[in-house]
Amino acid sequence: MAGRRSAGVRVRLTALAVLVVGLGLVAGGAAALTLVRDQLTGRAEEEASREAGTFASLIADDVPAVLPPLVQVVGRDGTVLAAGTDVAHTRLLALWPENGAVTGTSRLPDGEHHAVAGVPATLRGQPVAIYAAASLEHADEGVEAATTALAIIVPVLLIAVGGTAWLVVGRALRPVEAIRERVTEITASQLDRRVPEPPSDDEVGRLARTMNEMLSRLEEVHERQRRFAADAAHELRSPLTSLRTRLEVGLAHPSRTDWVRVASDLHRETVRLGDLTDELIALALADGATEPVEWVDLDEVVLTEVDVVRARGAVDVELSPFSAARLRGRAGELSRVVRNLLDNAEHHARHRITVGLSAQERCAELVVADDGPGIPDADRSKVFERFFRSQRARDRDAGGVGLGLAIVREVTERHGGEVWLADSAEGASFHVRLPLAADPA
């Protein structure tokens, strides 16, 4: 039913505690009442047995003129031969004491409940049965008193259990409610806020810490997306503005415009836009990490990308030192790491690129070095930032879009590795270290 809310955890746990304790109290009370009744009834039966045994020893020759009020003498054929005043008109027990005393209960004509015991005896040489009764009034009163006590104690205990459970569960769930209230206040623009963490190291404390870790990751992802969108918009604005300006000038002065040159300029800018789009798509795919993790022969990946560079013939590529390396990772992403490093080296190298690959006990290390002009000290800490291009590359206007090395860092770190720019006598030397056994995040 729409709008209907189910009972909360606090209500359900309190009701469950009351139900369980209530069932236990009812079962325990019933057992206690049974024990009380059995014990008091047993005492009355023992009293009746003693009375019947005592009277049986007195009637060997004849029945006394006056019998106790609750004693009865019955013949073998069921005839009442003699009886006390209270049992003169009823037979106390239908069981015959064939092999010893028998016991039971009987309700007399006055309505009172009695315990009855019968023992065998002999009267003038004939077998008879002596029955004696003992009142169960005390037993009934004891059971009634116990029932009254339970009727008072059980509700009081249930109220106490319910109140205690309500307070204890409420106290336990108070941090959860605080977490819920804080989460409802957090929006996409307030990801820097955190839920309160209780000091205890229990399930609620671990939940709060896990949620704060999740919020930290969401904040980081949100910040990366915001920065990525801003950087992408900035980088796209320049070629689009250039295209628009050239077209507006040409359309404003069509007779004086060199359309061949305009077409050449537009082609150059569209190529730049295409390269930027490809890098953005690659970066988005790297962020998504949808490729499955599998065993990758890193040496084969490197050799495949090296063959592509050699086929272009712009620079020489040397492999030194070079060994096999097998690790867990995403083959497509690792190929892009190698490709971006080689493209960067090819762009800056004068004549030669040196590629090295070595496998140690726990990690593999890839080195891509060139003999180019190197990277200025002022730019060494920025080369792995998104959309960063050195002034030298901007002046030449032939560099990339500044995403290649950023993708290298993103993929390497997600594979549990690290990338850095090492000191080199000439050119630039990039090092990538990857673990051989661990799966990427």
Side-chain angles (χ1 to χ4, degrees), residues 37 78-79 91 93 140 161 178-179 193 212 255 300 320 329 346 356-357 427:
R37 180 178 292 278
T79 303
R91 183 173 176 177
L93 198 64
D140 293 339
V161 168
I179 292 173
R193 303 185 64 179
N212 281 335
S255 60
E300 295 183 2
S320 176
E346 182 184 22
L357 179 62

Side-chain angles (χ1 to χ4, degrees), residues 144-389:
E144 183 179 355
T147 303
T148 303
L150 288 175
I152 297 174
I153 293 174
V154 168
V156 173
L157 288 177
L158 290 180
I159 293 174
V161 168
T164 303
W166 180 267
L167 294 177
V168 171
V169 174
R171 183 182 181 88
L173 294 179
R174 191 177 304 157
V176 178
E177 181 64 19
I179 292 173
R180 186 196 65 80
E181 292 177 354
R182 181 62 58 84
V183 170
T184 58
E185 297 172 359
I186 296 176
T187 63
S189 60
Q190 297 176 324
L191 291 177
D192 58 328
R193 303 185 64 179
R194 297 293 180 266
V195 300
E197 295 185 9
S200 58
D201 188 22
D202 54 9
E203 290 81 358
V204 177
R206 291 193 292 272
L207 171 64
R209 286 187 285 276
T210 302
M211 291 194 67
N212 281 335
E213 292 173 0
M214 179 192 68
L215 288 172
S216 297
R217 293 193 297 269
L218 289 175
E219 182 183 12
E220 180 182 356
V221 171
H222 182 266
E223 178 61 22
R224 287 170 56 189
Q225 291 178 342
R226 186 196 62 77
R227 188 171 62 251
F228 176 80
D231 292 342
H234 175 74
E235 291 296 322
L236 288 170
R237 185 182 297 113
S238 178
L240 290 175
T241 301
S242 177
L243 288 172
R244 180 178 179 180
T245 301
R246 284 175 171 80
L247 287 173
E248 288 177 348
V249 171
L251 292 174
H253 308 283
S255 60
R256 291 181 293 173
T257 300
D258 186 351
W259 289 106
V260 175
R261 181 178 178 180
V262 170
S264 178
D265 293 340
L266 294 180
H267 178 265
R268 183 173 63 253
E269 293 298 333
T270 53
V271 169
R272 182 182 174 187
L273 278 174
D275 294 340
L276 177 58
T277 303
D278 291 340
E279 292 296 331
L280 289 174
I281 293 174
L283 189 60
L285 292 177
D287 285 340
T290 57
E291 188 179 354
V293 176
E294 58 188 356
W295 285 104
V296 179
D297 293 316
L298 186 59
D299 53 308
E300 295 183 2
V301 173
V302 174
L303 290 175
T304 299
E305 298 299 332
V306 166
D307 289 341
V308 175
V309 177
R310 284 175 172 171
R312 289 197 288 262
V315 293
D316 296 329
V317 181
E318 298 179 1
L319 300 176
S320 176
F322 196 83
S323 61
R326 184 177 175 84
L327 52 82
R328 296 279 296 173
R330 300 180 178 91
E333 293 184 1
L334 294 175
S335 297
R336 180 162 290 276
V337 167
V338 178
R339 186 183 313 129
N340 288 357
L341 289 175
L342 289 175
D343 289 345
N344 181 76
E346 182 184 22
H347 175 70
H348 294 95
R350 293 189 179 94
H351 307 290
R352 185 181 65 258
I353 299 174
T354 302
V355 179
L357 179 62
S358 60
Q360 301 174 3
E361 182 179 355
R362 294 183 179 180
C363 61
E365 186 167 334
L366 171 67
V367 180
V368 178
D370 61 73
D371 60 351
I375 297 177
D377 293 339
D379 296 338
R380 292 173 67 89
S381 61
K382 304 176 183 178
V383 292
F384 295 107
E385 296 180 1
R386 296 183 178 186
F387 300 107
F388 174 78
R389 296 172 63 200

Side-chain angles (χ1 to χ4, degrees), residues 9-23 158 161-162 165:
V9 174
R10 190 178 189 182
V11 174
R12 293 199 299 271
L13 290 179
T14 301
L16 179 62
V18 172
L19 177 62
V20 172
V21 175
L23 291 176
L158 290 180
V161 168

